[in-house]
Structure formats: C-alpha cells, structure tokens
Amino acid sequence: MGAGKYIADRSAVLIGLETVPGTYEEPTTALPIEKGSDMWVPEFDKTDFDPESGHHGSKETTIITEFATMPVKATMKLPSDHTLIAAALTACGMNSTAITGGVSYSYTTANKKTVSMMQVAERETTRAYGVRGDFTLTCEVGKPAEINFDFKGMFKEQVRVAAADADNTIPDTPAFDQVFMTKNCTAYLVNGNQAHFTKVELKLGADIGTAKDTCPGESWTKDIKPEMSVSMMDSIDNEQSFADLQNGTEFNFIIPLFDATGTKKWEIVAPKCVVIEHKKPKDEGRIALERTFELRKVNGDDNFELRAY
C-alpha cells in the first residue's frame, strides 16, 4: 500500500421511510447529527474451524457477510423543528397525530414502518435498509436537550470511490434551533403540582430484532420498556420518599422544553409513572434524589407522548 492523501472525517447521514418495509429506497433527508459520528461498519457472522492437526496454528476463521447487519448510532441535539427527526421517530414505532398547535408522537404497537439509511462520507457511501430504532432523550439544566437514536437494519452495500475519482459530494446537514429546560417553577408538573428538576432522561427501551433469513426483510421491534429517570434536589416541597417505592405510588409528568426565545417547542407527557429505583446521594451539602420511573400504559399504547409545537 502506497502513501496518498489522508481521508478527512466528513460525512452526512440521510434517512427516508420505505414504501414497502424492508425494501431499500434511496433516502433524501439529512439527519442533523453531531460532528464526529463514527464511520459505519457492518456486523457480520463468522465461524471458526479448528481441524485436528499435527501442527499448531491450523485454526481458520470463515467470514459470512451474506447476512450482515448495519448498526447505526446517531447523536444529535433535539431540534425545535420536529420534522427533521420525524422519519427517525417513525422508525422507532412512534406515530404522529395532529393536536392543537402541533403534533403528538406516541408509540404504536401496530406501526411496523422501517427506513432506509445512507452515510455519505468523503470517499465512501454505505447503505442500509429495513431499519428500526430505539431512542433516548436527555434534558439537563444549562444544556440543550439531546436525542440519541440506536438503529438496526440490514446492510445493503458499501461503495468506495476509485482512487482516480473525485471525492463524494456530501449533503449539508440542516441547521436548526436547539431546545432547553427553562428557569420556570410553574412549567414542570408532577401530579399537577410544580416540581423542579436538574435532569430528566426518557428511554423508549426498544428491543430490536434483525432478520436472518434466505430472503431477509425488515427489522422489527420485539417489545419496549419505556422508563424515565429524573434528578432533583430533595426539599420540603418535593416530599419524595422511599415510601413511594414501597407503595407503588403513581405519578404523572409534564416536562416542557423551550427554544432560546422562551417559546415552548416540545413537551414530554407521561400519565402513569411508578418508581422502580430510588437513590438519595449527597450533592454539595444537600440531599439529591435520583429516581427511575416505569412508564405504564393507561389504555393501550399511551405510556407516554412527545408533543411538538
């Protein structure tokens, strides 16, 4: 291998809903991912063959790429414009319905939609199809909200540009406004009463399956286990105790997120939450509370919703 110019870490990720789940369609919408995301590498099967031999070192590994899968992690700030991640949320099983002033995303068991994804890098293009996903949404005071997607699909191809050819044309990643938790004591509600938080993290908890078949199709969601972890400072007003864990006390949460101008852009709504973990660490001379809630359904697919305005 001779010396040549180095390849820069430049790439964009495109996503698009598939008309027929598991059938690749060239995606055209760029995800607003963070710079420095890893280059995509397919996962494949391999088997070891260790023949009986009079000599050491006879073991051989066979690589089976026919059923390769494509794991994709996509980290980004939560955009104020929900349409930038609409396809990604749909691939996580979230359906959208119109509400007054916006759109509500909620998980729907019957949603089996998948997406095609493509990473366009400086000298390489990688494609995947039949992709489903999981997500974690993290909100912390003093920081923009962040959403992390964890996708799994079937590997389609990886195309390398010939040495004599020019670099790929990398699509622009869309610009957007970020959203934040705000300093507003009345905005954040637990059982209809104001509460104050330092961090809130919502996990869909999706278990994704990928097909291993002579005619592999789309990935699918086996099940979800939605949870929400919250951090807050213990106070007389909070009155959050170990008794809630013992008694199975139910809570409902409303967690809004705002843009830099103070306009509400997102809202996490969880109607039936039960504590499954409870910690009380010390924090700079105060007592903190760290609790994990199981987000339970009230009637069907209503464990939680994400409202975008």
Side-chain angles (χ1 to χ4, degrees):
M1 298 178 64
K5 74 167 190 175
Y6 294 111
I7 297 174
D9 175 17
R10 298 191 303 123
S11 66
V13 172
L14 305 181
I15 189 171
L17 285 170
E18 295 173 341
T19 304
V20 178
T23 301
Y24 181 81
E25 295 182 38
E26 194 80 350
T28 57
T29 301
L31 280 176
I33 62 173
E34 293 284 298
K35 185 175 176 59
S37 297
D38 291 336
M39 300 301 296
W40 291 6
V41 178
E43 291 184 349
F44 44 81
D45 298 305
K46 58 183 179 180
T47 182
D48 290 331
F49 174 54
D50 194 2
E52 198 68 61
S53 174
H55 302 278
H56 291 161
S58 298
K59 192 177 205 178
E60 295 181 358
T61 300
T62 300
I63 303 299
I64 305 171
T65 61
E66 195 69 16
F67 305 99
T69 57
M70 189 71 258
V72 175
K73 293 187 182 297
T75 298
M76 63 197 78
K77 301 296 189 291
L78 183 66
S80 60
D81 180 1
H82 69 96
T83 63
L84 296 177
I85 59 170
L89 289 173
T90 301
C92 295
M94 305 289 286
N95 275 6
S96 62
T97 55
I99 58 174
T100 302
V103 171
S104 171
Y105 290 92
S106 59
Y107 185 83
T108 304
T109 300
N111 175 356
K112 304 185 187 306
K113 295 178 182 178
T114 55
V115 292
S116 294
M117 299 185 71
M118 176 171 65
Q119 184 184 59
V120 183
E122 190 170 273
R123 306 287 297 176
E124 192 172 76
T125 300
T126 307
R127 294 177 172 88
Y129 66 96
V131 179
R132 288 282 284 188
D134 183 24
F135 72 82
T136 299
L137 173 58
T138 304
C139 317
E140 189 170 357
V141 294
K143 298 180 180 180
E146 184 174 278
I147 189 164
N148 296 318
F149 290 98
D150 189 356
F151 296 107
K152 293 181 181 177
M154 300 303 296
F155 170 68
K156 178 175 174 58
E157 64 180 1
Q158 192 168 79
V159 180
R160 183 82 172 187
V161 174
D165 292 342
D167 293 343
N168 285 328
T169 300
I170 299 175
D172 286 333
T173 297
F176 62 90
D177 292 327
Q178 300 172 13
V179 294
F180 310 82
M181 298 180 83
T182 188
K183 187 171 61 176
N184 184 337
C185 294
T186 62
Y188 300 88
L189 301 178
V190 179
N191 290 347
N193 300 313
Q194 67 183 49
H196 48 88
F197 303 95
T198 57
K199 185 177 180 179
V200 176
E201 185 172 80
L202 171 66
K203 294 182 178 180
L204 176 61
D207 183 8
I208 307 299
T210 51
K212 188 166 290 187
D213 196 303
T214 54
C215 183
E218 71 277 12
S219 300
W220 69 96
T221 303
K222 303 175 188 178
D223 201 357
I224 63 168
K225 191 180 187 306
E227 293 180 353
M228 185 163 64
S229 299
V230 303
S231 298
M232 63 181 79
M233 304 314 299
D234 198 5
S235 70
I236 296 173
D237 293 331
N238 273 334
E239 296 183 352
Q240 305 292 334
S241 68
F242 182 73
D244 294 331
L245 186 66
Q246 293 175 298
N247 301 332
T249 307
E250 292 182 4
F251 297 86
N252 60 73
F253 284 80
I254 297 179
I255 309 294
L257 298 168
F258 303 82
D259 66 13
T261 68
T263 302
K264 183 166 68 175
K265 291 295 183 179
W266 288 90
E267 205 168 49
I268 302 170
V269 179
K272 187 176 180 181
C273 310
V274 176
V275 183
I276 58 174
E277 289 185 16
H278 179 83
K279 300 177 182 177
K280 298 184 73 171
K282 296 178 181 178
D283 184 337
E284 297 183 342
R286 301 175 297 175
I287 301 299
L289 291 169
E290 295 178 358
R291 315 185 104 194
T292 299
F293 293 84
E294 191 173 69
L295 306 189
R296 297 181 179 175
K297 59 185 63 185
V298 177
N299 183 24
D301 288 321
D302 59 357
N303 304 65
F304 72 95
E305 61 178 311
L306 300 177
R307 295 174 182 169
Y309 297 99

